[in-house]
Amino acid sequence: MSSFRRLENRILLRRMLSERGFNVRMHSYEYYVIRDKFVSVIFLEPEFNRVLVHKISWNPKNSSLAVKEIYSIIKEIDPSIEVHVEEDRES
């Protein structure tokens, strides 16, 4: 089980993202991440020891750069968690 089960670590993730220049809206286990434009959605699944990080297809360059930073922040907080990066699919 992931350390993201603890509220303190979820708040730490939000704070670390903010300190790196992201605007973050946190909803329990979901984070909407903006840097100038929308760059990612993060879904924490601590019961399954995994995180899903979605890239935003209409902002590919900024999203890819942001996801690299997001990945490293997540791993800094919980090195054992599985991080899955998914491409946002346009309909």
Side-chain angles (χ1 to χ4, degrees):
M1 217 170 312
S2 170
S3 65
F4 282 110
R5 249 185 111 188
R6 297 179 56 213
L7 177 60
E8 301 86 36
N9 288 330
R10 296 193 306 273
I11 292 170
L12 176 62
L13 175 58
R14 183 187 64 196
R15 185 180 51 116
M16 290 177 76
L17 289 166
S18 294
E19 288 172 353
R20 301 244 182 118
F22 294 103
N23 292 314
V24 182
R25 178 160 292 203
M26 176 184 161
H27 297 277
S28 189
Y29 294 90
E30 297 176 1
Y31 299 74
Y32 298 91
V33 186
I34 298 166
R35 181 180 273 162
D36 296 324
K37 294 180 181 176
F38 193 49
V39 291
S40 182
V41 180
I42 303 167
F43 299 98
L44 299 176
E45 296 180 319
E47 296 295 321
F48 301 108
N49 197 41
R50 76 176 167 228
V51 176
L52 302 174
V53 180
H54 288 274
K55 288 183 180 180
I56 304 303
S57 61
W58 53 264
N59 190 6
K61 182 181 176 186
N62 293 331
S63 185
S64 291
L65 293 171
V67 166
K68 288 178 185 177
E69 280 188 73
I70 291 166
Y71 181 93
S72 67
I73 293 168
I74 291 168
K75 286 299 216 171
E76 187 176 332
I77 297 169
D78 185 351
S80 69
I81 198 160
E82 292 179 34
V83 180
H84 300 276
V85 177
E86 296 183 347
E87 299 288 332
D88 186 33
R89 295 183 194 155
E90 294 182 281
S91 323

